[in-house]
């Protein structure tokens, strides 16, 4: 930090820095204009249209992982716990729209075949490991804080 009258920046200790922050001028929050809301709606509509066109190809890792997630939700939804279902929905949204998952994790999600109920236990391990490894990947818009971090 460089104070008034000081020629060179200097290191501040935490208590001194916090004192400077308390003295900082607090500006009132500005309310968005009407033009902002119109532009926001247009942007949201455009992003919604683009979401439809970003579905993965038919034989990509993403599409196979997505098929496994959707199969687990559709065919074995009653056997999955609520937290597992929500995690799978978050992973589904990530694969479709955000694409933040590492390729290795997507490969793990698509490798397990869900041809029978006996394979469900094997598939359940993959999202659980992913959750344990990465903690909170992304929170759904509802603000769900359903899984623990680390």
């Amino acid at each position: 930090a460089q104070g008034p009258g000081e020629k060179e920046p200097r290191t501040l200790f935490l208590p001194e820095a916090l004192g400077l922050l308390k003295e900082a001028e607090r500006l009132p929050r500005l309310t968005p204009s009407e033009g902002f809301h119109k532009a926001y709606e247009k942007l949201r509509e455009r992003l919604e249209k683009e979401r439809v066109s970003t579905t993965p190809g038919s034989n990509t890792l993403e599409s196979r992982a997505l098929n496994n997630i959707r199969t687990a939700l559709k065919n074995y939804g009653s056997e999955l716990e609520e937290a597992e279902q929500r995690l799978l929905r978050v992973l589904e949204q990530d694969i479709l729209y955000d694409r933040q998952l590492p390729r290795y994790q997507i490969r793990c999600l698509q490798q397990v075949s869900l041809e029978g109920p006996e394979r469900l236990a094997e598939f359940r391990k993959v999202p659980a490991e992913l959750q344990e490894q990465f903690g909170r990947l992304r929170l759904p818009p509802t603000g769900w804080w359903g899984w623990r971090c680390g």
Side-chain angles (χ1 to χ4, degrees):
Q2 189 171 354
E6 295 179 358
K7 293 183 180 179
E8 291 191 28
R10 64 182 174 88
T11 304
L12 294 177
F13 292 103
L14 185 59
E16 188 179 358
L18 290 175
L20 290 173
L21 287 174
K22 287 180 183 176
E23 296 170 8
E25 181 182 353
R26 303 237 188 251
L27 298 174
R29 181 179 282 188
L30 300 176
T31 57
S33 68
E34 188 61 37
F36 168 80
H37 290 293
K38 289 177 184 175
Y40 179 78
E41 287 300 319
K42 286 181 183 177
L43 177 63
R44 196 176 88 195
E45 289 171 9
R46 192 180 106 217
L47 289 175
E48 286 297 322
K49 288 178 186 175
E50 287 178 3
R51 280 186 172 190
V52 175
S53 64
T54 59
T55 55
S58 62
N59 201 25
T60 62
L61 283 176
E62 290 85 0
S63 67
R64 291 181 286 180
L66 197 57
N67 285 341
N68 273 354
I69 290 170
R70 288 177 175 168
T71 300
L73 286 170
K74 182 179 178 186
N75 297 345
Y76 307 108
S78 60
E79 298 175 37
L80 297 170
E81 296 176 15
E82 186 178 333
E84 288 177 312
Q85 290 178 11
R86 286 189 289 216
L87 176 60
L88 288 175
R89 286 190 190 101
V90 168
L91 294 174
E92 178 184 23
Q93 293 298 310
D94 188 90
I95 291 172
L96 280 174
Y97 307 122
D98 302 323
R99 300 180 184 206
Q100 297 295 312
L101 284 175
R103 302 260 317 148
Y104 169 76
Q105 295 298 333
I106 293 174
R107 187 175 293 115
C108 290
L109 283 167
Q110 66 88 30
Q111 281 178 340
V112 180
S113 171
L114 286 170
E115 293 174 359
E118 64 279 352
R119 303 294 303 260
L120 180 62
E122 186 179 343
F123 178 77
R124 287 172 98 169
K125 291 178 187 176
V126 177
E129 289 172 6
L130 196 149
Q131 172 185 344
E132 187 176 312
Q133 187 175 17
F134 291 103
R136 291 192 185 117
L137 291 173
R138 174 180 162 280
L139 296 178
T142 58
W144 174 66
W145 295 84
W147 65 81
R148 62 179 170 76
C149 184

